[in-house]
Amino acid sequence: MSANQSAEQSERPGRIMSGEMAEQPEVLRRILDRGAPQIHEVARAIAAREPRFVLLTARGTSDNAALYAKYLLEIQLGLPCGLTSMSTTTAYGARPRLRDVLVITVSQSGGSPDLVASARAAREAGAVTLAVTNNPDSPLAAVSEFHIDILAGPEKALPATKTYTASLLALHLLVAGLRGGDGAAADRLPALAEQILARRDEVRALAGRYRFAERMVITSRGYGYPTAKEAALKLMETSYIPALSYSGADLLHGPLAMVDNISPVIAVVTDGKGGQALQPVLDRLRGRGADLVVVGPRPQVAAASAGFVLPVAGVPEDLQPILEILPLQLLAYEVTIARGQDPDAPRALAKVTETH
């Protein structure tokens, strides 16, 4: 490669996001090889404390990872979970009684002041506090009793990609550890992630449907719902297309009225109970003539206007979100490039958002 070619590539829009998406199989391997023992140690220590309730605290992409953890904890452990409203403590000064409550704070940087203040207040109120971050030296890790490092390496692009999938896998291994399991079912993920990311041409062709879209709707149910929310966030922050995410059940309670034959709808269909629960929604969308694109198993994609077939045969439903988001990250990237924008540098955003 000539010096001029190298310089052109280094200045190409989206090169950082593209490179970080490509790192994800290796990041997943790193967590399984190096991170899993420490995650299981943390899980054993927390399980010994027998928490009776879980509160999850996060912002942005990490909030979607926390929602995934909520599904895991409620379905697999039967622990009731809530998503924290941080302003109750940081703005209003409330001091809830949190003895025997596990508070999990998920943050890529671990540096947002409201997350740090909320975790500190929770620990002072008697909670068992766990930080899940990409920075073991962060203020959030320092104020929390326990910490899990997601080992994603530096993330420089403003849209989070590898830290999202790394957070999902770390949280999955945590819940497996709380159940007394080893999380071995995740061992296939790095190879499957490589297969998906190698199919970028398929996603680029799909992106042509959305280059001039004025809005999009993304829907799913069960474990796939956090994927729908994260995909919508990625599309909005990179391409600036208003992307609305709904649980399939909520979509039927009113928002379905805005769907017509020119409204793009992406359905994330997990291979399992969540996908089965979404089936009546897919039928209604087809009945309205929606431009329906499915990310999921082959039979569901074949019945849609278009889609992306996921290699999820034999993959447990609770692990499929780690694969589901990959083509949707690529889609956000390709749509943004097609619209002449730079996904590495969305306007008005900063890598560390300092909310208070």
Side-chain angles (χ1 to χ4, degrees), residues 207-215 241 264 335 338-339:
R209 304 173 75 91
Y210 305 120
R211 181 176 181 182
F212 301 108
E214 295 183 2
R215 70 163 183 251
I241 296 174
V335 169
R339 289 164 70 97

Side-chain angles (χ1 to χ4, degrees), residues 131-352:
V132 179
T133 82
N134 196 37
N135 183 1
D137 299 320
S138 64
L140 179 59
V143 301
S144 301
E145 183 176 358
F146 298 101
H147 177 255
I148 289 174
D149 185 353
I150 64 172
L151 299 173
E155 189 173 59
K156 297 179 180 179
L158 286 174
T161 54
K162 63 179 181 174
T163 54
Y164 179 69
T165 49
S167 296
L168 295 193
L169 180 53
L171 289 163
H172 187 277
L173 293 174
L174 170 70
V175 174
L178 291 171
R179 296 173 62 199
D182 59 6
D187 290 349
R188 294 177 58 205
L189 293 179
L192 292 173
E194 284 178 339
Q195 291 179 28
I196 292 169
L197 292 169
R199 294 161 57 192
R200 179 170 287 201
D201 286 347
E202 291 181 47
V203 178
R204 188 175 295 120
L206 199 58
R209 304 173 75 91
Y210 305 120
R211 181 176 181 182
F212 301 108
E214 295 183 2
R215 70 163 183 251
M216 295 173 63
V217 173
I218 308 176
T219 188
S220 189
R221 289 203 69 179
Y223 285 113
Y225 180 43
T227 306
K229 290 178 67 67
E230 174 61 12
L233 177 60
K234 283 293 152 289
L235 282 159
M236 287 189 287
E237 69 182 352
T238 56
S239 69
Y240 318 139
I241 296 174
L244 309 173
S245 59
Y246 294 100
S247 157
D250 288 332
L251 185 62
L252 296 182
H253 284 269
L256 185 67
M258 71 178 173
V259 176
D260 53 30
N261 60 3
I262 60 171
S263 301
V265 179
I266 297 175
V268 180
V269 184
T270 56
D271 187 10
K273 293 180 179 179
Q276 293 165 16
L278 190 64
Q279 190 59 52
V281 182
L282 300 179
D283 294 340
R284 291 284 298 277
L285 288 168
R286 292 188 190 100
R288 292 191 62 81
D291 177 12
L292 178 62
V293 170
V294 166
V295 174
R298 185 174 299 279
Q300 294 289 354
V301 173
S305 304
F308 188 96
V309 176
L310 286 171
V312 292
V315 178
E317 183 179 1
D318 59 332
L319 279 170
Q320 291 175 35
I322 299 172
L323 302 175
E324 290 167 350
I325 192 59
L326 299 177
L328 294 166
Q329 291 173 345
L330 290 172
L331 182 65
Y333 171 89
E334 294 294 348
V335 169
T336 305
I337 293 295
R339 289 164 70 97
Q341 295 151 199
D342 185 355
D344 284 344
R347 62 193 182 205
L349 295 181
K351 189 61 181 171
V352 179

